[in-house]
Amino acid sequence: MAYTTYKRPGILTALCIIGYIVVMGSLPSIFSPDVRRLGIWFPSVLGLLIALRFIAFVGIWHMKKWGVELLLYAFLGGLIITELAGITSYYVGVPAQIIALGVAFIYYRKMDRNL
Amino acid sequence: MKLTAPVCSTFDVMIFLTLLRESISFAFHALRVNRLRTLLSLLGITIGIFAIIAVFTAVDSMEYKVRSSVQSLGENVIYIEKWPWAPEDGVEYEWWEYMNRPVAKVSEAEELAKRLTLSEAVVFTARLRKTVNYKTSFVENAQVQAAMYPYDRVKTFNISTGRYFTEQETEAGKAVCIIGDNIRNALFNLEDPLGKDIKVFGLKVTVVGVFDPEGESLLGNSMDSQILMPLEFIRNIADVRKEELSPNIMVKALPGVAVADLKDEVKGIMRSIRRLKPTEDENFTLNEVSILSSGLEQMFGIIGTAGWIIGAFSILVGGFGIANIMFVSVRERTGQIGIQKALGAKNWFILTQFLTESIVLCIIGGVLGLVLVWGGTAIASSALDFDFTLKASNIVLGLTISVLIGIISGFIPSYSASQLDPVEAIRSSS
């Protein structure tokens, strides 16, 4: 079965680079004193979300639909977890994440379904 | 192209689990084959996890110890003193003003005890250092604490043997004392101290009780090294109005009374006792444990953040090491990947195989790091007489970081391996 792979547009390249930087930047947050104070389970869940975001950006970099879907799940997961933990500061990053998702979804139809 | 939703049957799940098991065994085989490389590449993670968890363990243990010491001062107790324990936020520490203030007096404590409605107990205390001896044994500069009768209601302590003073003993200024565990060990060794006379100020003082061992206190307020005596006895031989004796009044709030309310009442009564005009500033300070707690929170926050930064860099370096070694691993096994794919291995199988290898590598590194921390805490605890404890939350955190680093540093090499074209892969290795 032949698949047509579209070249990655510049905006997605920029999105992925920013995404990688944000993910690497947010990595130390899992062992920040504030996060540890929220509970024994919280750093693990936050770490999982960070890993999911990283994988999602790898997927988007390779123009894969699962990358966009994974980014959406990570976003929704983040919302649920932070809502449960009662962290209001998370909402500061929500508009940026919605913009990132919006940009990724614009090119969703041109992306590849396979792994 | 028409996409249909995948149907997941029990058979599919079984196949998935079989392939997953197979990819894990592949990963372990690869790690076993390259033992030295495995060891060297996981060292980065081991050192990173060791650095960060060791710092967190040390900070947590010290924080616990200091908090216990602070709590033993009494959370709902106000200390009326000449000097504040810490400057107020945004206010200069006016030591030249505090120097001219009068010290707390016994008469003020008695007056407060009569007039306060929100307090459970009011106690005047003073402390001095003296050499105490029993027969040929002696303790130099032992801390002698002089206190009014209801001291046991404002200060938290337990008596292991013997008893607390009676009201008559304290009011009559009887020569009795309760000694800490360190004093007992130094003076009596294996002998029972109850009823024995020790010499303080050259006078015979009868031991009526021994405090429960508390261990070292970071604030230096452990009862282990103290000798508690009735205030009236000390007043006969020393001037408790002297500043060197650190005279202070401790006021404990009634159950359910907020410390802020008690503070207001104490402030009003103290102003009236000292005849301060409404326009005049207070010439006393109401200290409370929360002053120390907030100061300590700041201090531990800074230490924690420092540990966090050190650990973050160590982990980052370890992560790059793992990513590098995974790229090498993929490069080395390109031919093998090509053959696997030619025989029908799915992309996700190759991905899982390499990702598992990376995660397992990081977990082994993390576990080694945690074992080092555990060993370090055991050695430090016995060498420093300080209880370092590796908490469950830190173990979980260490393992979480390991898995996370394994995923992040291993995903790109694993994904690139999964995307290899079988023909090209086999050709490149030949």
Side-chain angles (χ1 to χ4, degrees), chain B residues 8 74 82 131 137 140 215 242 247 255 261 267 288-289 345 372 375 384 386 412-413 418:
Chain B
C8 221
K82 178 174 169 173
T131 299
S137 310
E140 277 186 339
K242 279 188 179 168
D261 295 339
K267 198 182 276 184
E288 55 180 309
V289 171
L372 283 179
L384 301 174
F386 185 91
I412 294 179
S418 75

mmCIF file of all heavy atoms in Angstrom, chain B residues 8 74 82 131 137 140 215 242 247 255 261 267 288-289 345 372 375 384 386 412-413 418:
data_model
loop_
_atom_site.group_PDB
_atom_site.id
_atom_site.type_symbol
_atom_site.label_atom_id
_atom_site.label_comp_id
_atom_site.label_asym_id
_atom_site.label_seq_id
_atom_site.Cartn_x
_atom_site.Cartn_y
_atom_site.Cartn_z
ATOM 1 N N CYS B 8 -10.336 -4.874 18.126
ATOM 2 C CA CYS B 8 -9.363 -5.480 19.018
ATOM 3 C C CYS B 8 -9.959 -6.734 19.659
ATOM 4 O O CYS B 8 -10.854 -6.637 20.485
ATOM 5 C CB CYS B 8 -8.987 -4.465 20.093
ATOM 6 S SG CYS B 8 -7.267 -4.464 20.441
ATOM 7 N N GLY B 74 6.388 24.300 70.964
ATOM 8 C CA GLY B 74 4.960 24.556 71.188
ATOM 9 C C GLY B 74 4.384 25.415 70.086
ATOM 10 O O GLY B 74 4.822 26.553 69.911
ATOM 11 N N LYS B 82 12.775 40.048 75.119
ATOM 12 C CA LYS B 82 13.332 41.357 74.781
ATOM 13 C C LYS B 82 13.649 41.429 73.284
ATOM 14 O O LYS B 82 13.380 42.428 72.632
ATOM 15 C CB LYS B 82 14.613 41.535 75.607
ATOM 16 C CG LYS B 82 15.370 42.800 75.377
ATOM 17 C CD LYS B 82 16.523 42.880 76.365
ATOM 18 C CE LYS B 82 17.466 44.014 75.996
ATOM 19 N NZ LYS B 82 18.496 44.213 77.010
ATOM 20 N N THR B 131 28.490 23.770 85.957
ATOM 21 C CA THR B 131 29.066 22.429 86.010
ATOM 22 C C THR B 131 28.339 21.649 87.103
ATOM 23 O O THR B 131 28.141 22.166 88.210
ATOM 24 C CB THR B 131 30.574 22.504 86.332
ATOM 25 O OG1 THR B 131 31.198 23.250 85.287
ATOM 26 C CG2 THR B 131 31.206 21.117 86.405
ATOM 27 N N SER B 137 32.046 11.913 88.872
ATOM 28 C CA SER B 137 31.641 12.259 87.498
ATOM 29 C C SER B 137 31.134 13.701 87.462
ATOM 30 O O SER B 137 30.536 14.177 88.426
ATOM 31 C CB SER B 137 30.517 11.340 87.021
ATOM 32 O OG SER B 137 30.855 10.014 87.236
ATOM 33 N N GLU B 140 30.471 19.502 82.423
ATOM 34 C CA GLU B 140 30.786 20.939 82.395
ATOM 35 C C GLU B 140 29.753 21.689 81.571
ATOM 36 O O GLU B 140 29.276 21.183 80.552
ATOM 37 C CB GLU B 140 32.174 21.143 81.776
ATOM 38 C CG GLU B 140 33.284 20.952 82.782
ATOM 39 C CD GLU B 140 34.642 21.285 82.204
ATOM 40 O OE1 GLU B 140 34.785 21.273 80.971
ATOM 41 O OE2 GLU B 140 35.558 21.538 82.994
ATOM 42 N N GLY B 215 17.019 12.710 71.381
ATOM 43 C CA GLY B 215 17.965 12.821 70.270
ATOM 44 C C GLY B 215 18.388 14.262 70.090
ATOM 45 O O GLY B 215 17.815 15.165 70.709
ATOM 46 N N LYS B 242 18.883 38.943 85.255
ATOM 47 C CA LYS B 242 20.054 39.217 84.397
ATOM 48 C C LYS B 242 19.786 38.742 82.973
ATOM 49 O O LYS B 242 19.227 37.658 82.773
ATOM 50 C CB LYS B 242 21.283 38.485 84.948
ATOM 51 C CG LYS B 242 21.953 39.200 86.086
ATOM 52 C CD LYS B 242 23.239 38.476 86.399
ATOM 53 C CE LYS B 242 23.958 39.174 87.533
ATOM 54 N NZ LYS B 242 25.061 38.331 88.035
ATOM 55 N N PRO B 247 15.930 35.507 80.363
ATOM 56 C CA PRO B 247 14.599 35.369 80.975
ATOM 57 C C PRO B 247 13.487 35.574 79.940
ATOM 58 O O PRO B 247 13.597 36.467 79.087
ATOM 59 C CB PRO B 247 14.574 36.479 82.025
ATOM 60 C CG PRO B 247 15.608 37.451 81.605
ATOM 61 C CD PRO B 247 16.619 36.725 80.793
ATOM 62 N N PRO B 255 -7.101 25.528 74.538
ATOM 63 C CA PRO B 255 -7.463 24.768 73.332
ATOM 64 C C PRO B 255 -8.558 25.481 72.543
ATOM 65 O O PRO B 255 -9.533 25.969 73.127
ATOM 66 C CB PRO B 255 -7.981 23.439 73.894
ATOM 67 C CG PRO B 255 -7.386 23.332 75.252
ATOM 68 C CD PRO B 255 -7.219 24.712 75.755
ATOM 69 N N ASP B 261 -5.383 35.812 68.613
ATOM 70 C CA ASP B 261 -6.250 36.391 69.659
ATOM 71 C C ASP B 261 -5.505 36.488 70.985
ATOM 72 O O ASP B 261 -5.598 37.491 71.701
ATOM 73 C CB ASP B 261 -7.518 35.535 69.834
ATOM 74 C CG ASP B 261 -8.389 35.557 68.585
ATOM 75 O OD1 ASP B 261 -8.233 36.516 67.790
ATOM 76 O OD2 ASP B 261 -9.198 34.628 68.394
ATOM 77 N N LYS B 267 -0.596 41.358 74.429
ATOM 78 C CA LYS B 267 -0.044 42.683 74.097
ATOM 79 C C LYS B 267 -0.693 43.767 74.954
ATOM 80 O O LYS B 267 -0.001 44.598 75.558
ATOM 81 C CB LYS B 267 -0.286 42.974 72.612
ATOM 82 C CG LYS B 267 0.590 44.087 72.072
ATOM 83 C CD LYS B 267 0.281 44.380 70.633
ATOM 84 C CE LYS B 267 0.996 43.459 69.682
ATOM 85 N NZ LYS B 267 0.758 43.801 68.278
ATOM 86 N N GLU B 288 6.744 33.797 68.303
ATOM 87 C CA GLU B 288 5.998 32.536 68.197
ATOM 88 C C GLU B 288 6.688 31.618 67.199
ATOM 89 O O GLU B 288 7.495 32.063 66.377
ATOM 90 C CB GLU B 288 4.537 32.775 67.825
ATOM 91 C CG GLU B 288 4.343 33.580 66.569
ATOM 92 C CD GLU B 288 2.873 33.791 66.246
ATOM 93 O OE1 GLU B 288 2.125 32.804 66.219
ATOM 94 O OE2 GLU B 288 2.491 34.950 66.001
ATOM 95 N N VAL B 289 6.326 30.342 67.280
ATOM 96 C CA VAL B 289 7.013 29.329 66.480
ATOM 97 C C VAL B 289 6.880 29.583 64.981
ATOM 98 O O VAL B 289 7.793 29.272 64.222
ATOM 99 C CB VAL B 289 6.469 27.931 66.875
ATOM 100 C CG1 VAL B 289 6.965 26.861 65.933
ATOM 101 C CG2 VAL B 289 6.890 27.611 68.291
ATOM 102 N N ALA B 345 8.400 -8.266 11.065
ATOM 103 C CA ALA B 345 8.275 -7.501 12.317
ATOM 104 C C ALA B 345 7.649 -6.136 12.034
ATOM 105 O O ALA B 345 7.995 -5.479 11.055
ATOM 106 C CB ALA B 345 9.654 -7.328 12.938
ATOM 107 N N LEU B 372 22.709 3.420 46.091
ATOM 108 C CA LEU B 372 23.824 4.239 46.605
ATOM 109 C C LEU B 372 23.326 5.231 47.657
ATOM 110 O O LEU B 372 23.964 5.440 48.678
ATOM 111 C CB LEU B 372 24.492 5.003 45.459
ATOM 112 C CG LEU B 372 25.437 4.216 44.550
ATOM 113 C CD1 LEU B 372 25.989 5.117 43.464
ATOM 114 C CD2 LEU B 372 26.589 3.639 45.358
ATOM 115 N N GLY B 375 22.561 3.313 50.833
ATOM 116 C CA GLY B 375 23.808 2.992 51.528
ATOM 117 C C GLY B 375 24.407 4.226 52.179
ATOM 118 O O GLY B 375 24.848 4.188 53.326
ATOM 119 N N LEU B 384 27.086 10.213 61.753
ATOM 120 C CA LEU B 384 26.790 11.575 62.216
ATOM 121 C C LEU B 384 25.776 11.628 63.355
ATOM 122 O O LEU B 384 25.411 12.699 63.812
ATOM 123 C CB LEU B 384 26.266 12.428 61.049
ATOM 124 C CG LEU B 384 27.201 12.585 59.851
ATOM 125 C CD1 LEU B 384 26.512 13.322 58.732
ATOM 126 C CD2 LEU B 384 28.459 13.333 60.265
ATOM 127 N N PHE B 386 22.684 11.204 63.203
ATOM 128 C CA PHE B 386 21.550 11.973 62.680
ATOM 129 C C PHE B 386 20.767 11.029 61.770
ATOM 130 O O PHE B 386 21.359 10.330 60.956
ATOM 131 C CB PHE B 386 22.076 13.167 61.878
ATOM 132 C CG PHE B 386 21.005 14.099 61.390
ATOM 133 C CD1 PHE B 386 20.610 15.173 62.166
ATOM 134 C CD2 PHE B 386 20.380 13.898 60.161
ATOM 135 C CE1 PHE B 386 19.624 16.027 61.714
ATOM 136 C CE2 PHE B 386 19.398 14.750 59.713
ATOM 137 C CZ PHE B 386 19.023 15.820 60.498
ATOM 138 N N ILE B 412 13.581 8.842 20.172
ATOM 139 C CA ILE B 412 14.012 9.221 18.811
ATOM 140 C C ILE B 412 14.881 8.120 18.178
ATOM 141 O O ILE B 412 14.605 7.706 17.045
ATOM 142 C CB ILE B 412 14.693 10.614 18.809
ATOM 143 C CG1 ILE B 412 13.639 11.671 19.178
ATOM 144 C CG2 ILE B 412 15.309 10.933 17.443
ATOM 145 C CD1 ILE B 412 14.141 13.087 19.256
ATOM 146 N N PRO B 413 15.892 7.578 18.898
ATOM 147 C CA PRO B 413 16.644 6.463 18.294
ATOM 148 C C PRO B 413 15.734 5.268 17.965
ATOM 149 O O PRO B 413 15.862 4.668 16.897
ATOM 150 C CB PRO B 413 17.657 6.082 19.377
ATOM 151 C CG PRO B 413 17.754 7.250 20.263
ATOM 152 C CD PRO B 413 16.454 7.972 20.203
ATOM 153 N N SER B 418 12.654 2.050 13.952
ATOM 154 C CA SER B 418 11.392 1.453 13.481
ATOM 155 C C SER B 418 11.053 1.894 12.058
ATOM 156 O O SER B 418 10.300 1.225 11.360
ATOM 157 C CB SER B 418 10.257 1.811 14.434
ATOM 158 O OG SER B 418 9.879 3.159 14.252
#
